[in-house]
Amino acid sequence: MPATPSPVSLGNWRGRRILLLLCAVAFLDFVDASITNVALPHILRSLHFSVQSLQWVPSAYLLTYGGFMLLGGRLADLLGRRAVLLAGTALVGLASLVGGLAGNEGVFIAARLAQGLGAALMLPAALSILTTTFTTAKERQSALGIWAAIAGLASAVGILLGGVLTEGPGWRWVMFVNPIACVFVIPAVIALLPRDLPADGNKRFD
């Protein structure tokens, strides 16, 4: 008979790897909210933004990120958490690649809007996976505390990372860094997270 897989726990390596993966998802999403801030003057000159339209670079991401968060959670209920997490990660990677290659402000803003939508799919799915993976109250609280700390740290790291990339390989790398990260996140999601059934048996989309 096949061996029964060990339960997921912070006390075993599988549980710690899952938590590390979910923290990486949160880190990626929150970094993207601030990573372009330092690069704004370079983006303005390179893509010929006006001073007025430049505010859309940070705002476009936050607009779709916050506006579609509930949609992301509902889709995770209807379609399954892992599937929505994968879709959101792929969208972030693709949108970031387009943004990094953008030749004008319209394409770049559209890429930032799509990035935010991808993050709005990723974050609720990841948080739901975390709360359903660690089932005891103590472990769930510990996992949530670590996850929240990483998410909070990411916003500050985003500014630092944006500065390093802008002054190093160039401002476009504040976008190109995401597809590279997604190349690692997507296989990890497939390898570590089992397929889950929709959490909501009611298929009607409200």
Side-chain angles (χ1 to χ4, degrees), residues 94-177:
L94 179 60
S96 300
L97 182 61
V98 171
L101 298 172
N104 59 68
E105 64 177 70
V107 173
F108 191 81
I109 290 172
R112 288 290 283 170
L113 289 167
Q115 269 189 318
L117 177 58
L121 298 177
M122 293 172 70
L123 199 68
L127 184 57
S128 181
I129 291 168
L130 185 149
T131 57
T132 55
T133 297
F134 302 103
T135 54
T136 67
K138 182 178 180 180
E139 289 216 333
R140 189 183 301 116
Q141 290 170 3
S142 298
L144 284 170
I146 295 169
W147 189 84
I150 293 296
L153 179 65
S155 297
V157 171
I159 296 174
L160 175 62
L161 181 60
V164 170
L165 292 172
T166 300
E167 295 302 319
W171 72 263
R172 291 183 184 273
W173 279 90
V174 303
M175 303 296 284
F176 287 146
V177 71

Side-chain angles (χ1 to χ4, degrees), residues 19-33 61-62 64-77 80-92 114-132 144 146-152 154-155 185 189 193:
L19 178 59
L20 180 63
L21 171 61
L22 298 177
C23 286
V25 169
F27 186 86
L28 180 62
D29 288 349
F30 282 98
V31 157
D32 281 341
Y61 179 87
L62 297 174
T64 49
Y65 184 31
F68 288 96
M69 192 85 69
L70 290 176
L71 173 66
R74 181 59 177 156
L75 287 176
D77 289 340
R81 293 178 288 270
R82 190 180 82 153
V84 172
L85 178 57
L86 287 171
T89 306
L91 179 56
V92 167
Q115 269 189 318
L117 177 58
L121 298 177
M122 293 172 70
L123 199 68
L127 184 57
S128 181
I129 291 168
L130 185 149
T131 57
T132 55
L144 284 170
I146 295 169
W147 189 84
I150 293 296
S155 297
V185 169
V189 169
L193 302 179

Side-chain angles (χ1 to χ4, degrees), residues 7-16 134 139:
V8 176
S9 165
L10 290 177
N12 58 45
W13 179 228
R14 182 165 176 254
R16 290 193 292 269
F134 302 103
E139 289 216 333

